[in-house]
Structure formats: structure tokens, C-alpha cells
Amino acid sequence: MNGVPRHVAIIMDGNGRWAISRGQPRLAGHRAGAKTLEDVLGWCREAGVEILTVYAFSTENWKRPAEEVNGLMKLLGLFLRNKRAKLIRDKVRFRVIGRRSDLPEKLQKKIAALEAETATFPHQLVVALSYGGRAEIVDAARRFAALPPERQTEAGFASCLYAPDLPDPDLIIRTSGEFRLSNFLLWECAYSEFFITETLWPDFDHATFGRALASYAARDRRKGGHA
Ligand code: IPE
Ligand code: IPE
Ligand code: MG
């Protein structure tokens, strides 16, 4: 039996389908999804999950219509503004992984400010923004090439990733029933456990979160060794 996963990563998928099934614009789904994220942060605290990483916007998501992309960027800005006080009160360190220079400059500034303000806190919310696992590996490879030969090891490569101090995710949850990674944490997922639920992200609830943790607890994590 495993205990509580230290690091949970979530592919927050299904906002669009949730909205469309209600005859609403896709952005309404993204708004509902932002609310779910707030709830999940609280459940992580309760359960003792120390690090929550969420996939909010991929390097591929830039190809969506400008209206949706702009709406998402606005929503992210609002999330930072509205959640700032709560993150500080709950001692949650906020950080972003991804190609942050792709983001609107105003958003980059807000991110940097909140990261600095929360840098010493023990719990962590890591938001993957303009994030792609392949982009992260390419960005890391550039830094890796500059390392001295004796540091050109797996650990040395991991030290070149966006958030090198983070442990790999123990559990990766994907909502909306899709069995794929969609370019999320490709290096870090080597020995992660997966939990896939049909639930669309805005409908993701405490019971489903509990099922994911229970499923994780029952996994036999051999990591190539013997039990
Ligand atoms: C996830 O929901 C949020 C982002 C990728 C930004 P989607 O917008 O992908 O929703 P579906 O998968 O189309 O239902
Ligand atoms: C993955 O969802 C990215 C995020 C949740 C941010 P997508 O909706 O972009 O992935 P695909 O298109 O289903 O693979
Ligand atoms: Mg999707």
C-alpha cells in the first residue's frame, strides 16, 4: 500500500465538452474549470498532498481560435488576482512551468510577482502554461549541453528542467476519459501512476478525487524492482 501521493499532477480536460453539452460557449467551461481547481487545491491540503501540478495550457493550445486563447489568458490573470490572498493565507507556493515568454507580458509580470511573494511556502501549486513536454526537454537539452561531462547524467538532465527541485509526480490524473498524455510531463512521468476518469473537469468532485487517491494507494509501485 502506498500512502498519500506527495505530488499529484492533473490534466484538466473536458471544459469545452462540458460547456457545449449545456449549450454554453467554451469559455463558460473554462470558467467552471477554474472553480474546480480552487476546490481541488483545498482537497489536496486536506488529504496531505504537498504538490499539485495542473496542465492549464499547452504549447499546442495556441492554435485554438484567438477568442478562446484570449479568454483563457484573461481567466488566468483573474485567477491570479482573485486567489492571491487565499494562496498566501494557505501558505501555497505558486509557480509556473512552461515557455512563459510566450505569455502576454502583463500576465508574465503577475506570475513573477506571485511567485516571488509565495516562494518560501511549503505547499505548492504548479501551473503548466504554454507547457509542452517536448519543449521542456528541448529547453533542458540546451542547458544540458553546457554542463561539464561529469554532470551529463540523468540527474544532471533533470536539473535542467523547468522546476528541477520538484519530485516527479506520483499520480497523474486525466479527466474527460482520454487515454493520452497530450505532451504533459514527458520526462517526469517515467514512473508515475495514472488515473483516468470519464468525468469532465468542471464536474470533477471530491468523491472522484478520493477514488483517484484510493486507486493510487492500492498500486504496487515496483519501479523495476521486486515488491
Ligand atoms: C481543457 O479543456 C482546457 C484546455 C485545454 C485549455 P478543453 O478546452 O480541452 O475541453 P475539451 O477537451 O475540448 O472538452
Ligand atoms: C491537454 O488537453 C492540455 C490541457 C489540458 C491544458 P487538450 O484538450 O489540449 O488535449 P488533446 O487535444 O485532447 O490531446
Ligand atoms: Mg481537451
Side-chain angles (χ1 to χ4, degrees):
M1 281 287 279
N2 306 299
V4 175
R6 181 175 173 207
H7 183 180
V8 172
I10 305 184
I11 303 173
M12 308 186 291
D13 197 21
N15 294 350
R17 277 163 280 176
W18 182 90
I20 286 157
S21 72
R22 283 169 173 70
Q24 292 174 17
R26 293 179 62 88
L27 267 174
H30 296 316
R31 273 195 293 274
K35 172 75 182 75
T36 303
L37 174 56
E38 249 184 87
D39 294 343
V40 174
L41 251 180
W43 305 334
C44 282
R45 270 173 67 78
E46 274 168 32
V49 173
E50 185 185 314
I51 306 155
L52 173 66
T53 296
V54 291
Y55 201 7
F57 194 88
S58 73
T59 46
E60 288 73 33
N61 289 146
W62 291 110
K63 61 183 176 216
R64 294 191 180 196
E67 190 190 343
E68 182 175 357
V69 170
N70 294 339
L72 277 164
M73 293 300 140
K74 241 193 187 155
L75 201 58
L76 286 162
L78 276 176
F79 183 87
L80 297 190
R81 199 178 71 195
N82 296 337
K83 296 297 149 249
R84 180 182 163 274
K86 191 166 164 45
L87 291 171
I88 291 171
R89 193 177 65 224
D90 292 345
K91 297 211 177 329
V92 180
R93 176 176 179 186
F94 174 84
R95 57 206 290 197
V96 162
I97 53 171
R99 286 198 169 149
R100 56 175 76 203
S101 58
D102 295 345
L103 301 170
E105 222 160 288
K106 253 171 74 181
L107 192 57
Q108 287 184 47
K109 285 199 179 121
K110 280 188 189 165
I111 289 167
L114 192 55
E115 283 181 333
E117 262 186 309
T118 62
T120 59
F121 292 154
H123 311 282
Q124 301 201 49
L125 170 63
V126 184
V127 182
L129 280 182
S130 195
Y131 176 88
R134 288 182 174 177
E136 178 172 35
I137 289 169
V138 168
D139 290 349
R142 276 198 206 101
R143 290 191 280 271
F144 185 72
L147 293 181
E150 67 275 13
R151 289 200 57 212
Q152 293 193 350
T153 59
E154 286 188 17
F157 193 87
S159 77
C160 297
L161 298 170
Y162 293 137
D165 56 301
L166 288 182
D168 289 341
D170 298 297
L171 172 65
I172 297 180
I173 298 173
R174 181 162 187 153
T175 57
S176 91
E178 238 65 83
F179 277 70
R180 57 174 173 261
L181 271 173
S182 301
N183 206 8
F184 190 44
L185 303 179
L186 297 184
W187 172 277
E188 298 87 340
C189 74
Y191 273 103
S192 302
E193 300 295 330
F194 287 82
F195 182 86
I196 297 181
T197 170
E198 291 290 325
T199 310
L200 303 174
W201 177 245
D203 289 330
F204 187 76
D205 59 9
H206 192 247
T208 315
F209 182 67
R211 274 197 293 279
L213 294 192
S215 172
Y216 171 82
R219 308 277 176 94
D220 186 6
R221 301 190 83 193
R222 287 183 295 279
K223 297 190 177 173
H226 291 301

